[in-house]
Amino acid sequence: MAACCCRCNLALRRHAGDAGGALRSLGKGSDTLFFVLGDENENEVFLAAVLDGLVDSLSSLLRGQIDRRTLLDNLALVLLTIDEICDSGLVLETDAQAIASRVLMRSPSGHLPAGEVPLSELTISQALATARQQFLKSMAQQSFN
């Protein structure tokens, strides 16, 4: 199975003796490299699609600024992106727009689900009221089950 790796140096040291393993890498930006590691039996086109999805979604999320400083400043966003691409080494998604939408918690069309307001635009009292409503809904569902 293909595996996404954000700790590239550690992964390369660990797999340095494994000459038979498939390795796809891409230098993007002035000082960054992205790696996708896979089994030697893994399809290289598939690994390239995973890598392209990662780089394109990060480029979209970070407005084309993929350098070391920007990646470190937005590390949570980078880790969420990797998490949306793969889970326990299994690739879930390779489409850059879908990945970016999931990271930003939007629908693939770029909008929030109907009736939803972004959390950043809610006041504290609105956020508490929303949390209370969702809590009451979940309690009501549990009492019927």
Side-chain angles (χ1 to χ4, degrees):
M1 289 293 152
C4 296
C5 179
C6 62
R7 294 178 218 95
C8 304
N9 293 333
L10 179 63
L12 284 177
R13 284 189 203 124
R14 195 177 324 142
H15 292 79
D18 184 20
L23 171 68
R24 265 310 267 181
S25 68
L26 170 73
K28 190 74 170 177
S30 61
D31 58 355
T32 56
L33 284 173
F34 294 95
F35 294 92
V36 176
L37 302 174
D39 192 273
E40 66 239 14
N41 299 325
E42 193 66 59
N43 186 343
E44 287 188 33
V45 175
F46 178 67
L47 295 177
V50 172
L51 183 63
D52 290 341
L54 173 66
V55 172
D56 292 345
S57 60
L58 284 175
S59 180
S60 172
L61 291 167
L62 300 175
R63 295 178 175 84
Q65 296 181 356
I66 301 181
D67 58 7
R68 185 181 341 169
R69 187 77 208 153
T70 305
L71 291 172
L72 288 174
D73 288 343
N74 296 290
L75 187 60
L77 198 64
V78 173
L79 294 175
L80 278 172
T81 303
I82 293 170
D83 186 56
E84 289 298 327
I85 293 172
C86 62
D87 185 23
S88 299
L90 298 176
V91 176
L92 302 174
E93 184 68 65
T94 60
D95 180 38
Q97 291 293 48
I99 295 165
S101 296
R102 286 182 181 177
V103 168
L104 295 175
M105 291 190 239
R106 295 183 178 164
S107 68
S109 64
H111 303 294
L112 288 172
E116 299 247 349
V117 178
L119 289 176
S120 61
E121 294 180 11
L122 292 177
T123 64
I124 292 175
S125 61
Q126 289 172 329
L128 289 173
T130 303
R132 182 176 180 263
Q133 288 173 351
Q134 290 181 356
F135 177 73
L136 291 175
K137 278 184 190 178
S138 68
M139 292 303 289
Q141 289 176 351
Q142 287 179 358
S143 64
F144 288 121
N145 291 333

